[in-house]
Amino acid sequence: MQHKNSMEEVDEERSLTMDLSVPFSSIREAEIAYRTLSVDKEPKRGGVKKTFTLNEKVLQIHFQAKEARTLRVSVNSFLDHLTLVTQTIEQFGPPVDT
Amino acid sequence: MVVVIGFEGSANKIGVGIIQDGVVLSNPRRTYITPPGQGFLPRDTAKHHQGCVLQVLKEALDQAKLNPNDIDAVAYTKGPGMGAPLVSTALVARTVAQLWNKPIIGVNHCIGHIEMGRLITGSDNPTVLYVSGGNTQVIAYSQRRYRIFGETIDIAVGNCLDRFARVLKLSNDPSPGYNIEQMAKKGTKYFELPYTVKGMDVSFSGLLSYIEERVPQILKKGEYSPEDLCFSLQETVFAMLVEITERAMAHCGSQEVLIVGGVGCNERLQEMMGKMAEERGATLFATDMRFCIDNGAMIAQAGWEMFKSGQITPLEETWCTQRYRTDEVEVTWR
């Protein structure tokens, strides 16, 4: 499953990248986090591209940016969001059977 | 029986409320309060919300004595509002909607205020004055839309009051507007301010700069007290609002007026509006701080109406938007 999250194409060769792997305790929880976090678009002029890949219980996020500054802002805010989603799952989960 | 839980976090309040067929089962909230002289910034406000939203959610469920499986749908504020706080709140709504396997509904914040006001006051088809820190609109319902008759062309009336409170270094606890209202009660001498009504619209930014520029000198000279200035500001801006509301009522032939939004709990505004309504033989409807000020139940209530009329939002479309006009929403429940 792949999901591109930016309108703007960033030149792969000349950009900074960062890869993040987030393991969850079940495939269902990883899917919930993926579907929650992939909705919000990156700000158009931020020049950051965020790509999600869901690999069973592991959510992988690839960041690509033109500048270290914008990359930091994007990754920082993503980590805050991830923390909130993880805490929500811990406190109000586990997911009911569908 | 339909139970909807609503998440609100578009400004400096984070609230979660639960509504069951027109009954508010719970409606806890927290307010991010900044030191005197300072406004609230998006990032810090988002951090505040992230830090307490789960506690507020737990309180909402506990006070309503409900389990997640008693809930039929999850509603959240889609906009308008500040981006970062909106997203933080939406994240929790999306997560619980999936954990509990419930449909999710994106709600327009302004519609939330209107529907909550209608529910609480029992008004049927009012002309609505929606006044808060971020919005100032005169609204009337016609043909499946809440139409905007008049609005501010620059800053919101609440923003004008908040920023004036910063000049006087008034406390932001419980809110700057509340403290201005208390001071204004002791004011007696009217300081003339620019009165800016342009057709059906109002403007507050010129008035704000006018008073901001003059405050240091006025106070130094001792001609007017801070209380007098609070009084004069309130009288001027509220008169402007009452004027455009009256014109909208005359235009629509409306016999009901409803005040919603955070500034709506100001008793002087209610008094002035009540007087106008009385002279027209109309009825004033207003609510108190629990429901005027941003809260989760108002989002639950609008969500309840939307859900009952068959509106739900696909999860992939549950993004937030800082700009979202009241008249963009098709009213499918009236």
Side-chain angles (χ1 to χ4, degrees), chain A residues 72-95:
Chain A
R72 185 191 61 213
V73 172
S74 177
V75 173
N76 266 346
S77 114
F78 179 80
L79 291 174
D80 285 342
H81 292 174
L82 175 69
T83 306
L84 184 59
V85 170
T86 314
Q87 285 174 344
T88 310
I89 294 174
E90 275 167 17
Q91 293 180 35
F92 296 91

PDB file of all heavy atoms in Angstrom, chain A residues 72-95:
ATOM      1  N   ARG A  72      12.981  19.032   9.295  1.00  0.00           N
ATOM      2  CA  ARG A  72      12.865  18.964  10.752  1.00  0.00           C
ATOM      3  C   ARG A  72      11.445  19.299  11.205  1.00  0.00           C
ATOM      4  O   ARG A  72      10.854  18.591  12.016  1.00  0.00           O
ATOM      5  CB  ARG A  72      13.858  19.920  11.414  1.00  0.00           C
ATOM      6  CG  ARG A  72      13.848  19.789  12.930  1.00  0.00           C
ATOM      7  CD  ARG A  72      14.631  20.900  13.590  1.00  0.00           C
ATOM      8  NE  ARG A  72      14.043  22.198  13.278  1.00  0.00           N
ATOM      9  CZ  ARG A  72      14.742  23.313  13.144  1.00  0.00           C
ATOM     10  NH1 ARG A  72      16.050  23.306  13.270  1.00  0.00           N
ATOM     11  NH2 ARG A  72      14.126  24.451  12.872  1.00  0.00           N
ATOM     12  N   VAL A  73      10.890  20.374  10.654  1.00  0.00           N
ATOM     13  CA  VAL A  73       9.534  20.775  11.037  1.00  0.00           C
ATOM     14  C   VAL A  73       8.539  19.659  10.753  1.00  0.00           C
ATOM     15  O   VAL A  73       7.716  19.295  11.595  1.00  0.00           O
ATOM     16  CB  VAL A  73       9.124  22.065  10.281  1.00  0.00           C
ATOM     17  CG1 VAL A  73       7.656  22.385  10.502  1.00  0.00           C
ATOM     18  CG2 VAL A  73       9.999  23.233  10.714  1.00  0.00           C
ATOM     19  N   SER A  74       8.675  19.067   9.557  1.00  0.00           N
ATOM     20  CA  SER A  74       7.736  18.032   9.144  1.00  0.00           C
ATOM     21  C   SER A  74       7.864  16.781  10.014  1.00  0.00           C
ATOM     22  O   SER A  74       6.866  16.220  10.476  1.00  0.00           O
ATOM     23  CB  SER A  74       7.997  17.692   7.680  1.00  0.00           C
ATOM     24  OG  SER A  74       7.155  16.647   7.281  1.00  0.00           O
ATOM     25  N   VAL A  75       9.112  16.350  10.255  1.00  0.00           N
ATOM     26  CA  VAL A  75       9.340  15.142  11.048  1.00  0.00           C
ATOM     27  C   VAL A  75       8.909  15.368  12.502  1.00  0.00           C
ATOM     28  O   VAL A  75       8.245  14.518  13.111  1.00  0.00           O
ATOM     29  CB  VAL A  75      10.819  14.692  10.975  1.00  0.00           C
ATOM     30  CG1 VAL A  75      11.085  13.545  11.940  1.00  0.00           C
ATOM     31  CG2 VAL A  75      11.170  14.273   9.551  1.00  0.00           C
ATOM     32  N   ASN A  76       9.253  16.534  13.040  1.00  0.00           N
ATOM     33  CA  ASN A  76       8.851  16.859  14.420  1.00  0.00           C
ATOM     34  C   ASN A  76       7.350  16.761  14.600  1.00  0.00           C
ATOM     35  O   ASN A  76       6.857  16.130  15.534  1.00  0.00           O
ATOM     36  CB  ASN A  76       9.257  18.297  14.752  1.00  0.00           C
ATOM     37  CG  ASN A  76      10.602  18.343  15.429  1.00  0.00           C
ATOM     38  OD1 ASN A  76      11.111  17.318  15.881  1.00  0.00           O
ATOM     39  ND2 ASN A  76      11.179  19.521  15.485  1.00  0.00           N
ATOM     40  N   SER A  77       6.630  17.411  13.691  1.00  0.00           N
ATOM     41  CA  SER A  77       5.186  17.440  13.865  1.00  0.00           C
ATOM     42  C   SER A  77       4.616  16.044  13.631  1.00  0.00           C
ATOM     43  O   SER A  77       3.682  15.613  14.320  1.00  0.00           O
ATOM     44  CB  SER A  77       4.574  18.526  12.986  1.00  0.00           C
ATOM     45  OG  SER A  77       3.777  17.994  11.990  1.00  0.00           O
ATOM     46  N   PHE A  78       5.237  15.282  12.701  1.00  0.00           N
ATOM     47  CA  PHE A  78       4.776  13.915  12.485  1.00  0.00           C
ATOM     48  C   PHE A  78       4.940  13.078  13.755  1.00  0.00           C
ATOM     49  O   PHE A  78       4.050  12.298  14.124  1.00  0.00           O
ATOM     50  CB  PHE A  78       5.512  13.254  11.316  1.00  0.00           C
ATOM     51  CG  PHE A  78       5.066  11.837  11.096  1.00  0.00           C
ATOM     52  CD1 PHE A  78       3.887  11.568  10.416  1.00  0.00           C
ATOM     53  CD2 PHE A  78       5.790  10.778  11.626  1.00  0.00           C
ATOM     54  CE1 PHE A  78       3.442  10.259  10.256  1.00  0.00           C
ATOM     55  CE2 PHE A  78       5.350   9.468  11.471  1.00  0.00           C
ATOM     56  CZ  PHE A  78       4.179   9.205  10.786  1.00  0.00           C
ATOM     57  N   LEU A  79       6.083  13.240  14.423  1.00  0.00           N
ATOM     58  CA  LEU A  79       6.327  12.443  15.641  1.00  0.00           C
ATOM     59  C   LEU A  79       5.331  12.797  16.750  1.00  0.00           C
ATOM     60  O   LEU A  79       4.869  11.922  17.480  1.00  0.00           O
ATOM     61  CB  LEU A  79       7.771  12.621  16.121  1.00  0.00           C
ATOM     62  CG  LEU A  79       8.834  11.984  15.202  1.00  0.00           C
ATOM     63  CD1 LEU A  79      10.234  12.323  15.676  1.00  0.00           C
ATOM     64  CD2 LEU A  79       8.662  10.464  15.120  1.00  0.00           C
ATOM     65  N   ASP A  80       4.995  14.077  16.851  1.00  0.00           N
ATOM     66  CA  ASP A  80       3.959  14.479  17.826  1.00  0.00           C
ATOM     67  C   ASP A  80       2.635  13.789  17.504  1.00  0.00           C
ATOM     68  O   ASP A  80       1.945  13.283  18.391  1.00  0.00           O
ATOM     69  CB  ASP A  80       3.734  15.997  17.774  1.00  0.00           C
ATOM     70  CG  ASP A  80       4.866  16.768  18.445  1.00  0.00           C
ATOM     71  OD1 ASP A  80       5.618  16.148  19.224  1.00  0.00           O
ATOM     72  OD2 ASP A  80       4.987  17.982  18.180  1.00  0.00           O
ATOM     73  N   HIS A  81       2.297  13.779  16.215  1.00  0.00           N
ATOM     74  CA  HIS A  81       1.037  13.162  15.795  1.00  0.00           C
ATOM     75  C   HIS A  81       1.048  11.658  16.048  1.00  0.00           C
ATOM     76  O   HIS A  81       0.072  11.090  16.531  1.00  0.00           O
ATOM     77  CB  HIS A  81       0.781  13.438  14.310  1.00  0.00           C
ATOM     78  CG  HIS A  81       0.496  14.889  14.037  1.00  0.00           C
ATOM     79  ND1 HIS A  81       0.363  15.387  12.773  1.00  0.00           N
ATOM     80  CD2 HIS A  81       0.315  15.935  14.871  1.00  0.00           C
ATOM     81  CE1 HIS A  81       0.113  16.686  12.832  1.00  0.00           C
ATOM     82  NE2 HIS A  81       0.080  17.044  14.103  1.00  0.00           N
ATOM     83  N   LEU A  82       2.189  11.046  15.742  1.00  0.00           N
ATOM     84  CA  LEU A  82       2.327   9.606  15.948  1.00  0.00           C
ATOM     85  C   LEU A  82       2.145   9.262  17.429  1.00  0.00           C
ATOM     86  O   LEU A  82       1.436   8.309  17.786  1.00  0.00           O
ATOM     87  CB  LEU A  82       3.706   9.146  15.455  1.00  0.00           C
ATOM     88  CG  LEU A  82       4.052   7.683  15.720  1.00  0.00           C
ATOM     89  CD1 LEU A  82       3.187   6.762  14.867  1.00  0.00           C
ATOM     90  CD2 LEU A  82       5.532   7.416  15.428  1.00  0.00           C
ATOM     91  N   THR A  83       2.764  10.052  18.293  1.00  0.00           N
ATOM     92  CA  THR A  83       2.656   9.823  19.740  1.00  0.00           C
ATOM     93  C   THR A  83       1.188   9.874  20.175  1.00  0.00           C
ATOM     94  O   THR A  83       0.716   9.022  20.928  1.00  0.00           O
ATOM     95  CB  THR A  83       3.456  10.898  20.512  1.00  0.00           C
ATOM     96  OG1 THR A  83       4.788  10.912  20.008  1.00  0.00           O
ATOM     97  CG2 THR A  83       3.477  10.616  21.996  1.00  0.00           C
ATOM     98  N   LEU A  84       0.476  10.881  19.663  1.00  0.00           N
ATOM     99  CA  LEU A  84      -0.929  11.037  20.037  1.00  0.00           C
ATOM    100  C   LEU A  84      -1.770   9.838  19.581  1.00  0.00           C
ATOM    101  O   LEU A  84      -2.590   9.308  20.344  1.00  0.00           O
ATOM    102  CB  LEU A  84      -1.468  12.339  19.435  1.00  0.00           C
ATOM    103  CG  LEU A  84      -2.904  12.732  19.783  1.00  0.00           C
ATOM    104  CD1 LEU A  84      -3.073  12.885  21.293  1.00  0.00           C
ATOM    105  CD2 LEU A  84      -3.288  14.035  19.077  1.00  0.00           C
ATOM    106  N   VAL A  85      -1.527   9.398  18.354  1.00  0.00           N
ATOM    107  CA  VAL A  85      -2.288   8.264  17.812  1.00  0.00           C
ATOM    108  C   VAL A  85      -1.967   6.991  18.609  1.00  0.00           C
ATOM    109  O   VAL A  85      -2.869   6.224  18.980  1.00  0.00           O
ATOM    110  CB  VAL A  85      -1.990   8.081  16.305  1.00  0.00           C
ATOM    111  CG1 VAL A  85      -2.576   6.776  15.777  1.00  0.00           C
ATOM    112  CG2 VAL A  85      -2.531   9.258  15.513  1.00  0.00           C
ATOM    113  N   THR A  86      -0.688   6.783  18.908  1.00  0.00           N
ATOM    114  CA  THR A  86      -0.279   5.599  19.676  1.00  0.00           C
ATOM    115  C   THR A  86      -0.914   5.597  21.063  1.00  0.00           C
ATOM    116  O   THR A  86      -1.431   4.581  21.525  1.00  0.00           O
ATOM    117  CB  THR A  86       1.264   5.572  19.800  1.00  0.00           C
ATOM    118  OG1 THR A  86       1.822   5.844  18.531  1.00  0.00           O
ATOM    119  CG2 THR A  86       1.749   4.224  20.277  1.00  0.00           C
ATOM    120  N   GLN A  87      -0.890   6.753  21.710  1.00  0.00           N
ATOM    121  CA  GLN A  87      -1.516   6.859  23.048  1.00  0.00           C
ATOM    122  C   GLN A  87      -3.015   6.599  22.971  1.00  0.00           C
ATOM    123  O   GLN A  87      -3.594   5.977  23.863  1.00  0.00           O
ATOM    124  CB  GLN A  87      -1.281   8.260  23.628  1.00  0.00           C
ATOM    125  CG  GLN A  87       0.128   8.474  24.119  1.00  0.00           C
ATOM    126  CD  GLN A  87       0.359   9.927  24.540  1.00  0.00           C
ATOM    127  OE1 GLN A  87      -0.422  10.825  24.193  1.00  0.00           O
ATOM    128  NE2 GLN A  87       1.430  10.159  25.269  1.00  0.00           N
ATOM    129  N   THR A  88      -3.636   7.102  21.913  1.00  0.00           N
ATOM    130  CA  THR A  88      -5.084   6.891  21.759  1.00  0.00           C
ATOM    131  C   THR A  88      -5.389   5.395  21.625  1.00  0.00           C
ATOM    132  O   THR A  88      -6.317   4.879  22.251  1.00  0.00           O
ATOM    133  CB  THR A  88      -5.625   7.659  20.532  1.00  0.00           C
ATOM    134  OG1 THR A  88      -5.177   9.003  20.606  1.00  0.00           O
ATOM    135  CG2 THR A  88      -7.140   7.644  20.494  1.00  0.00           C
ATOM    136  N   ILE A  89      -4.576   4.711  20.819  1.00  0.00           N
ATOM    137  CA  ILE A  89      -4.768   3.265  20.644  1.00  0.00           C
ATOM    138  C   ILE A  89      -4.566   2.543  21.980  1.00  0.00           C
ATOM    139  O   ILE A  89      -5.363   1.690  22.367  1.00  0.00           O
ATOM    140  CB  ILE A  89      -3.817   2.705  19.559  1.00  0.00           C
ATOM    141  CG1 ILE A  89      -4.174   3.287  18.186  1.00  0.00           C
ATOM    142  CG2 ILE A  89      -3.879   1.177  19.524  1.00  0.00           C
ATOM    143  CD1 ILE A  89      -3.203   2.920  17.065  1.00  0.00           C
ATOM    144  N   GLU A  90      -3.510   2.918  22.714  1.00  0.00           N
ATOM    145  CA  GLU A  90      -3.224   2.285  24.012  1.00  0.00           C
ATOM    146  C   GLU A  90      -4.380   2.475  24.988  1.00  0.00           C
ATOM    147  O   GLU A  90      -4.778   1.558  25.690  1.00  0.00           O
ATOM    148  CB  GLU A  90      -1.970   2.905  24.639  1.00  0.00           C
ATOM    149  CG  GLU A  90      -0.669   2.275  24.162  1.00  0.00           C
ATOM    150  CD  GLU A  90       0.542   3.127  24.548  1.00  0.00           C
ATOM    151  OE1 GLU A  90       0.414   4.013  25.435  1.00  0.00           O
ATOM    152  OE2 GLU A  90       1.612   2.906  23.942  1.00  0.00           O
ATOM    153  N   GLN A  91      -4.908   3.714  25.035  1.00  0.00           N
ATOM    154  CA  GLN A  91      -5.906   4.020  26.065  1.00  0.00           C
ATOM    155  C   GLN A  91      -7.343   3.676  25.663  1.00  0.00           C
ATOM    156  O   GLN A  91      -8.176   3.445  26.531  1.00  0.00           O
ATOM    157  CB  GLN A  91      -5.823   5.502  26.450  1.00  0.00           C
ATOM    158  CG  GLN A  91      -4.521   5.839  27.144  1.00  0.00           C
ATOM    159  CD  GLN A  91      -4.438   7.315  27.529  1.00  0.00           C
ATOM    160  OE1 GLN A  91      -5.436   7.928  27.892  1.00  0.00           O
ATOM    161  NE2 GLN A  91      -3.250   7.883  27.437  1.00  0.00           N
ATOM    162  N   PHE A  92      -7.623   3.668  24.366  1.00  0.00           N
ATOM    163  CA  PHE A  92      -9.015   3.444  23.953  1.00  0.00           C
ATOM    164  C   PHE A  92      -9.172   2.221  23.044  1.00  0.00           C
ATOM    165  O   PHE A  92     -10.246   1.969  22.532  1.00  0.00           O
ATOM    166  CB  PHE A  92      -9.597   4.710  23.324  1.00  0.00           C
ATOM    167  CG  PHE A  92      -9.678   5.846  24.321  1.00  0.00           C
ATOM    168  CD1 PHE A  92      -8.625   6.747  24.457  1.00  0.00           C
ATOM    169  CD2 PHE A  92     -10.775   5.959  25.161  1.00  0.00           C
ATOM    170  CE1 PHE A  92      -8.680   7.767  25.405  1.00  0.00           C
ATOM    171  CE2 PHE A  92     -10.832   6.971  26.109  1.00  0.00           C
ATOM    172  CZ  PHE A  92      -9.786   7.881  26.236  1.00  0.00           C
ATOM    173  N   GLY A  93      -8.074   1.467  22.851  1.00  0.00           N
ATOM    174  CA  GLY A  93      -8.119   0.228  22.088  1.00  0.00           C
ATOM    175  C   GLY A  93      -8.368  -0.916  23.054  1.00  0.00           C
ATOM    176  O   GLY A  93      -8.772  -0.659  24.194  1.00  0.00           O
ATOM    177  N   PRO A  94      -8.169  -2.146  22.649  1.00  0.00           N
ATOM    178  CA  PRO A  94      -7.790  -2.534  21.292  1.00  0.00           C
ATOM    179  C   PRO A  94      -8.968  -2.409  20.336  1.00  0.00           C
ATOM    180  O   PRO A  94     -10.101  -2.264  20.785  1.00  0.00           O
ATOM    181  CB  PRO A  94      -7.394  -4.010  21.474  1.00  0.00           C
ATOM    182  CG  PRO A  94      -8.206  -4.477  22.630  1.00  0.00           C
ATOM    183  CD  PRO A  94      -8.326  -3.297  23.546  1.00  0.00           C
ATOM    184  N   PRO A  95      -8.697  -2.469  19.032  1.00  0.00           N
ATOM    185  CA  PRO A  95      -9.777  -2.321  18.058  1.00  0.00           C
ATOM    186  C   PRO A  95     -10.828  -3.420  18.199  1.00  0.00           C
ATOM    187  O   PRO A  95     -10.474  -4.563  18.491  1.00  0.00           O
ATOM    188  CB  PRO A  95      -9.066  -2.437  16.706  1.00  0.00           C
ATOM    189  CG  PRO A  95      -7.627  -2.628  16.959  1.00  0.00           C
ATOM    190  CD  PRO A  95      -7.369  -2.631  18.402  1.00  0.00           C
TER     191      PRO A  95
END
